[in-house]
Amino acid sequence: MSRAMQCQSCLPWGSWTQLCQSLPGSRGIRNVYLCAASAPGELGSVPVKLSCVCYQGGSQEHSVQPGSSRHGLSQLRNVASSDAIKKHQKSLSAWFSHQPNEERQFGPSFSLGAVHVDPVIRESSLEEILKPSPDLTIQNQLQRPCSQVISLQNLFDVDACGRQVKNVVLYGTVGTGKSTLIKKMVVDWCHGRLPRFELVIPFSCEDLSHSHAPISLRRLITKKYQHLRDVVPMLGTSNLKMLFILNGLERLNLDFRLAGTELCCDPNEPVPPSAIVVNLLRKYLLPEASIIVTTRPSAVRRIPGKYVGRYAEICGFSDTNLQKLYFQMRLSQPGCSGEDSMGSSSGEQENLVEMLSRNLERHNQIAAACFLPSYCWLVCTTLHFLYFTRTVPPSQTLTGIYTSFLRLNFSGEVLDSTDPTNISMMKYVAKMVGKLAYEGVMSRKTCFSEDDLQQCFEVEMKTESELNLLEVFRSDVFRFFLTPCVQPGKEHTFVFTIPAMQEYLAALYVVLGEKKTLAQRVGKELSEVIGKVSEDVAVVLSIISKVLPLRFLPVLFNLLKIFPRYFSRLSRKDRDAIAHTMAEELFKEEDYYNDDVLDQINFSILGVEGPMRHPDEALDDEVFELFPIFMGGILSRRNRAILEQLGCSIKNLAAFEIAKAMKKTVIRNSRKGLPPSELMDYLFFLHEFQNERFTAEAIRSLRTVNLSSVKMTPLKCSVLASVMGTTCHEVEELNLTSCNLDTSSLRILFPVLLRCKALHLQLNSLGSDACKEIRDLLLHDKCVVSNLRLANNPVGEQGAQYLAEALAGNRSLTHLSLLHTALGDRGVEVIAQHLAENQHLQELNLGYNSLTDTAALRVVEVAKKHATLDKVHLYFNDISEDGKRALHSLRMDRDGVRALVFLTAGTDVSDYWSNILNVVQKNLPFWDRERVRQHLALILQDLESSRRQTANPWRKAKFLRVESEVKKMLGKLQHGTL
C-alpha cells in the first residue's frame, strides 16, 4: 500500500508482519489536482499516468521573490536562450500532458484543465528508512495525523539546520504516484507555476540505462531536448537556476566509489550516462543545479546519505478525505457517462460518489486499497465500466482493465537491475504472488497468515540471488498486492488489496503454466537442453555417416529426438489440464445461485446497503467465480499482447490448444440449463474470451436464454447483445422477467429481440417510451416474435396506442399478454380499433386492467370477426353481472371466441380455472392485495352460486374442489403467507 514503505533489509527474515510499518496520514488537504493511475513511467516517453493538471500553485510559490527569477533571465535577454526555454516549456507541456488510452474513457472534458489530488508526501530520513518504526494497522494509519507532511513546492526549502537543500530523494512503493507527481511538477513549471527554477530538465533513468557509450552532459541534453541548443553553452557559466529530474533511479547501477566512477566537472567531457548522474549527485558537476530523484525504497541506499539533502516519501492517499475527493472529481466529470446520456446520468454519477463515500467512511477494506492512488484509478475505471458502458460490443473487458492497470504500473519494470537474470517485475509477481493467489482460490481462502506467506515465498529460496530478489520484492512490491486485513480479529493476516486481483493473478499463474510439478519443470528444462544438443549432434552425425557408414548412428540420432517429442506431448496434456480447470471452475455447482460476477464486483466496491454484519456472525463462503473468467480473458489476443510487454509470454499456439481443448466441455455444460445468474456469468465469460469463432459455436447451442431476475444493467445488455450477435440463429425463448429493463436497454438489445420467438418482458417498469421501441421492434421486417408478454408494466393509454399500431402491421405475433398494464377503457378501445387490421393474433390477455362492460364487450365484438383470435382474457376487471352474463353466452362453435372472465362457465367450472388461479398466484406479490382479495371473494360467491344451480354431482364435486383452492388462497392472503 501507499503507507510508509521502508527498506526491509533490517527486518527479521521470517517476519512478514514487519511489513506493516507506520505511516501516519494527513488530515490536511493542500493542493487539489486529479491524479491518474500511478505507474512507473519514464519521463522520456509518452506519459502513462498524467491525466490532467490544474495550475494553481502552492504556498511556496507566493513566498518566492520574483527578483531572483528576473535576475537570472536578465542575463539571457540578449541571447536566444529565453526563446529556447519557452520552446522547451511548450514541448514539455505537450509531451507530459498527453493522455494514455486508458484515460480517454472518462470523457472529453477530462483533460489538462481538470483537477488533481496531491498524495501525501512525508519528510523522512535515512535512519528512519533503515530502522522501521513499530507496526501499525492500516486502520490506525488512516486515522492518525502526520506531523512531517511536506508539499511538493517545499521540497527544496532549507533543512532543519538552515542549509539549502540541493538534492532530494523522493521514494515510494509501486503505485504511490512518484512519476505522476514529477509530471505534474514539470507541467506546473511549463505554465509558470514553479518560479523557483528557470530551467527544468527531466531524464528517464530507464532511458539512460540503455546507453553505455560515453557522452557529455551538454550533448546528452541537446540529444533529448533539441530546443536547448542555445542554452546548453551557458551551463556552468551563468547563474541559471536549474533543476534536473531523474525519474526511476532504481534502473541505474550507480557506483559512487572513486575507483568505480571518476570525478568529472566538465559538462563537455564524454563519460558514461551513469557517471554523469553520479557526478551531478556528488555536486562535482554543476554544483549550483538542484536535483530531484525518484526511486523505489530498495534503491534509496544506492545514493550515499552525504549526497542527499532531503528524503521524502510518497504515502499515497493516507487520508480518506483525499480518497473521497479523488472519486468525486473523477466520477463527476461532465461527459464521463457518455454522450448519449449526459443529462440522465448526472444523478447516477452523484449516487455512485455518495455510495462510495459511505463505504470509505466505514474504513472498509476498500479504504485500505485506496491508500494507493493506483487503486483509486482502478476503482474509478471499474465503476465506469460497470455503469457507463453502452456500446455494442463493449469497448473494454474487465480482464483488459486489470491487464492495462498492471501495464500502467509495471510496464518496463525490472525487479532488480543489479540481478543478472534481469527478470521482469510482473513475471516475478505472476510466479510468486500468483502461486499464493491460486492456492487461496483452490482452498477458497482470502486471508493469509504469516506462515502462508513464508510457505509460499520462502520455502524454495536456495540461492543468494533468489533471496536478494525476494528482499526487493518485499520492499517495493509486496504492499501493492497484499495488505493487512482490517476485519476485527484478523489484523495480523493479509488479504489481496482488491479481492478480484487474487483471482486475476491466480488465473495468470495457471495460464502461464507456472502450476507445474517438479518432474514437469525438470522435464521442460531437460527437453530444451536435449533439443538444442540434438541439433548440433545431427550436423556432426551427418558428416561422420558420410565418412564412416556405421549403422548405429541413425539409431542414436533418432533416440536423441525422442525425448523432446515426448515432452511436447506432455505439454499438450498440460494445456488440456488448463482447459479442464477453466471449464470445471466455470460450471461449479456450489456457485450456481450466487449473484452474477458483475454484481459481486459492484458490491465489493460500493458495499451492500443495510445493517452491517455483526463481528460474531458467520461469514459466507468465499466465492471465486471471476477466476475462470479471467483465465479466458487473459487468453484474448489483446491481453496477451499487453502481457508480452510485461514479460509474461503466452504463445498463440498455447492459446489455440487451450481453446480447442475447452470447447467441447464448455458447450456440453452450457446445455444443461444454467440458473439465470450463472448463465449471465457464462455470457460474460464468452465476452471476456474475445474469441468470435468459439463464442459463435457456444451460442448456437443456446436455444433458450433465461435471465429472469438478473439486474440487466447497460453493461450486461451490451454483453448479451454482443455475444448473441456472433450468430444469426433464432432463439426459441428469451426470458427477461424482472430485469430492471428500460428504454435504453431495449435499444441495446434490439438486434437480439428481433430473433426471439417467445419474449418475456414482465415486471420491468416499461412505460410508453419503451412501448414505442417495442412498436418499432414488432414492425421490423425481420421480427420473428410470436409470443410477447408485457404483464405488470405501466404501459398506460399512450403505450397502448403504440402497441395498437404494432398489432396493425405485425405479421408474426400470435400471443400477447397485457395483464395488469394500466390500459383502462380508453387504452383497450385503441387496441380494439387496430385489432381488425391484424390477421395473426390468436390469444390476447387484458386481465386486471380496470375494464368496464363497454370496453370488454367492444373487444369481444372485434374478436368475433377476427380470423384467428379465439381467446381473450378479461378476468380481474370491473365487469358487472350483466356484462358477465353477456360474455358467458359466447360459444366457440358459434362466435369463434372464448372470453376468460371467471372460473365458471354457466353451471360448470371453466376449463381455464387453474390457469387463472396460477396467474393470480404468480403475480400476487406485484398486485394490490386488497383488490385481489375483493376479486377472489367475488369469484368464491360466483362458484357457490353456480354450484347451487347445478344438480349434476360430478359438477358439484368440481365446484367444491375449485372453491377449496380459492378459500385456501384467501386464507393465505389474509395471514400474509402468500
Side-chain angles (χ1 to χ4, degrees), residues 781-795:
D781 57 354
K782 294 183 179 180
C783 177
V784 300
V785 177
S786 60
N787 187 342
L788 176 61
R789 297 186 180 181
L790 289 170
N792 299 303
N793 284 296
V795 172

Side-chain angles (χ1 to χ4, degrees), residues 261-442:
T261 304
E262 64 177 342
L263 295 174
C264 175
C265 63
D266 185 0
N268 293 313
E269 182 179 348
V271 293
S274 60
I276 293 177
V277 173
V278 168
N279 281 290
L280 283 173
L281 290 169
R282 283 172 173 167
K283 290 304 170 193
Y284 202 77
L285 179 62
L286 300 185
E288 71 281 358
S290 298
I291 301 173
I292 185 168
V293 173
T294 67
T295 185
R296 302 200 302 258
S298 63
V300 169
R301 291 175 298 168
R302 294 186 188 178
I303 306 176
K306 62 182 179 180
Y307 299 129
V308 180
R310 174 171 284 124
Y311 292 95
E313 180 181 18
I314 301 181
C315 305
F317 297 154
S318 54
D319 188 334
T320 52
N321 289 326
L322 294 176
Q323 299 173 9
K324 292 179 186 178
L325 187 59
Y326 180 97
F327 292 129
Q328 182 178 7
M329 295 299 179
R330 185 170 283 262
L331 292 175
S332 300
Q333 285 293 310
C336 173
S337 56
E339 297 178 0
D340 297 335
S341 54
M342 290 278 287
S344 61
S345 292
S346 58
E348 188 172 22
Q349 290 172 272
E350 294 175 2
N351 187 45
L352 279 180
V353 174
E354 178 63 25
M355 292 178 67
L356 194 52
S357 295
R358 285 203 297 267
N359 205 22
L360 290 171
E361 288 170 0
R362 298 170 185 163
H363 294 294
N364 205 327
Q365 197 68 49
I366 189 174
C370 292
F371 228 79
L372 287 172
S374 290
Y375 278 99
C376 292
W377 180 90
L378 180 60
V379 166
C380 288
T381 306
T382 304
L383 286 176
H384 189 276
F385 174 68
L386 292 176
Y387 282 87
F388 304 124
T389 298
R390 290 178 170 85
T391 58
V392 179
S395 58
Q396 290 188 343
T397 64
L398 185 66
T399 314
I401 289 174
Y402 274 74
T403 307
S404 297
F405 169 70
L406 294 174
R407 183 185 69 82
L408 287 171
N409 286 278
F410 294 95
S411 179
E413 286 293 309
V414 175
L415 184 61
D416 185 4
S417 60
T418 63
D419 188 80
T421 60
N422 214 33
I423 185 172
S424 77
M425 187 179 289
M426 194 62 231
K427 178 69 173 178
Y428 189 88
V429 167
K431 180 180 178 181
M432 302 297 291
V433 188
K435 179 183 178 183
L436 180 71
Y438 173 75
E439 290 177 354
V441 169
M442 290 297 101

Side-chain angles (χ1 to χ4, degrees), residues 479-527:
R479 292 172 187 245
F480 185 86
F481 293 103
L482 291 157
T483 182
C485 184
V486 299
Q487 293 181 14
K490 296 186 177 181
E491 291 85 354
H492 297 291
T493 62
F494 292 86
V495 295
F496 278 83
T497 313
I498 291 286
M501 186 59 74
Q502 177 179 354
E503 298 176 77
Y504 181 93
L505 291 177
L508 184 61
Y509 176 77
V510 174
V511 173
L512 286 175
E514 294 292 341
K515 188 176 75 71
K516 292 185 177 73
T517 63
L518 180 61
Q520 287 174 321
R521 292 176 182 173
V522 172
K524 181 180 179 182
E525 294 174 0
L526 189 59
S527 172

Side-chain angles (χ1 to χ4, degrees), residues 445-474:
K445 181 169 66 173
T446 58
C447 293
F448 303 93
S449 66
E450 187 175 329
D451 290 339
D452 294 330
L453 300 180
Q454 290 177 347
Q455 182 70 20
C456 183
F457 295 150
E458 299 179 11
V459 70
E460 296 182 3
M461 297 291 109
K462 297 178 181 179
T463 66
E464 183 70 17
S465 176
E466 289 175 335
L467 292 174
N468 290 338
L469 289 175
L470 182 59
E471 182 181 347
V472 173
F473 166 76
R474 285 158 51 107

Side-chain angles (χ1 to χ4, degrees), residues 238-281:
S238 66
N239 195 25
L240 189 66
K241 299 186 184 306
M242 183 166 48
L243 172 66
F244 284 100
I245 298 177
L246 302 173
N247 188 49
L249 190 75
E250 67 276 356
R251 298 304 299 268
L252 286 175
N253 295 327
L254 303 181
D255 189 350
F256 280 83
R257 299 173 304 155
L258 289 178
T261 304
E262 64 177 342
L263 295 174
C264 175
C265 63
D266 185 0
N268 293 313
E269 182 179 348
V271 293
S274 60
I276 293 177
V277 173
V278 168
N279 281 290
L280 283 173
L281 290 169

Side-chain angles (χ1 to χ4, degrees), residues 962-978:
V962 177
E963 286 176 31
S964 99
E965 291 292 331
V966 174
K967 288 178 180 177
K968 189 185 299 182
M969 191 176 292
L970 271 170
K972 290 182 178 179
L973 188 62
Q974 290 173 352
H975 291 91
T977 58
L978 188 62

